[in-house]
Amino acid sequence: MNETHSTGPTSTASHKGDVGRFLATARREAGLTQKELASRVFVTESAVSKWERGLSYPDLATLGPLARALGVTEGELVSASADDRGRLDAQQARVHRRWRGALLWTTVGAYAVALVATFVTNLAVEHTLSWFWIVAAAVALAFSLTTLPLLVTGRRGWTTFAAALASLGLLLASIEALTSAGFLGIAGAAILFAVVVIWGPLALRSFGSGWLRTHSAIISVVVDAVALTLMLAVILGAVGQGQAFVEIALPLVAGGFGLATVVVLVLRYLPMRGLHRAAIACLVGAGIAVTAGPLIDGLLERTTVVLGPVDLTRWSDATVNGNVTALIAAACVAAAIVLVAISLRATRQGRPMPR
């Protein structure tokens, strides 16, 4: 049997009664008489009496003032029931706004006091502004990390990061200008390298177009190689080792990032199954394990590249490095064989393989 839910006069009258009882209860909890409530919402005492007796609804224009006078929400008036969850959310929102405002004004006030005190002290002691600029840059860095996120709405993380990076650059520049320590170039190159390696891929995905996002892996490898080359050039140039950059650092960077580029190209672009790509990466890893150490030693010592001796029956000082390298390479080759075998078995059984 089909049931029909009535929405006619009986249902409306019942809801009016619920609204009336809710209004009467809320008015008494607020400590108001019908006359006092009527004066606050600019209606007659008779209108309030009719609401509470369920004879009529409050007008839409009076919902806002009525809710404020009773200390409830407009939704509670319409539903004629207490919205505890809504009140809790509203209370938490108010607490958050107060906490945010207190933190904002406290930090701004503290930074302002620090700047004024430093400004006056620097002028009083040295009759010029010198170390004040260091303090100002440090305050700017602290402001960008603590207070600026409270003021920014769109792209908060990137805005904070850019402001902090600029402030850090000003701090290092002011210290360099005051002390003439000669570290600004090295510190700047190191910071640039760290920013490129950590934040570069995120920036490509956040701000890049479709093409940049598609090829973000290989672009990141190339940009990291350029940043590392620049950092090594600056550091070795600052310590008077420019020749070492050409003879040692540049070949190492080229070799290391050349291999990294090969691995990325294999894993990202080769048109083959995922397990086959992983197998090729394992083989590349085996080659790196065997050749990386001797190549680096040859470049550093400027000698002929010689592979370490391997003798798994003897683990002396002469053979331990070669033995460990051989085991690592063998493990990589074995992993490649297992991956290929799994892929071939799955193909014969007709199971789809990840690409």
Side-chain angles (χ1 to χ4, degrees), residues 43-119:
V43 296
T44 64
E45 185 179 354
S46 175
V48 175
S49 177
K50 289 182 179 180
W51 296 343
E52 294 186 356
R53 286 182 292 152
L55 300 179
S56 64
Y57 282 123
D59 188 79
L60 289 176
T62 63
L63 284 180
L66 184 60
R68 289 190 291 273
L70 297 176
V72 297
T73 66
E74 294 183 20
E76 289 176 318
L77 287 178
V78 174
S79 63
S81 61
D83 184 6
D84 296 332
R85 180 63 184 178
R87 292 188 182 185
L88 179 61
D89 291 343
Q91 180 183 6
Q92 291 177 343
R94 289 193 296 270
V95 171
H96 174 73
R97 286 194 296 270
R98 288 197 293 267
W99 172 85
R100 179 179 176 276
L103 179 61
L104 177 63
W105 291 111
T106 299
T107 54
V108 168
Y111 295 147
V113 169
L115 287 175
V116 171
T118 305
F119 182 86

Side-chain angles (χ1 to χ4, degrees), residues 291-315:
T291 60
L295 286 174
I296 293 174
D297 291 339
L299 285 172
L300 294 177
E301 299 175 5
R302 301 178 184 180
T303 59
T304 305
V305 176
V306 179
L307 299 180
V310 177
D311 187 354
L312 297 180
T313 63
R314 296 176 53 210
W315 289 80

Side-chain angles (χ1 to χ4, degrees), residues 262-285 335-336 339-340 343 353-355:
V262 171
V263 173
V264 170
L265 290 175
V266 168
L267 297 179
R268 182 67 181 84
Y269 297 103
L270 272 185
M272 58 176 57
R273 297 178 183 274
L275 291 179
H276 291 170
R277 294 179 182 176
I280 294 176
C282 289
L283 293 177
V284 173
L339 291 171
V340 172
S343 177
M353 295 296 298
R355 299 192 63 83

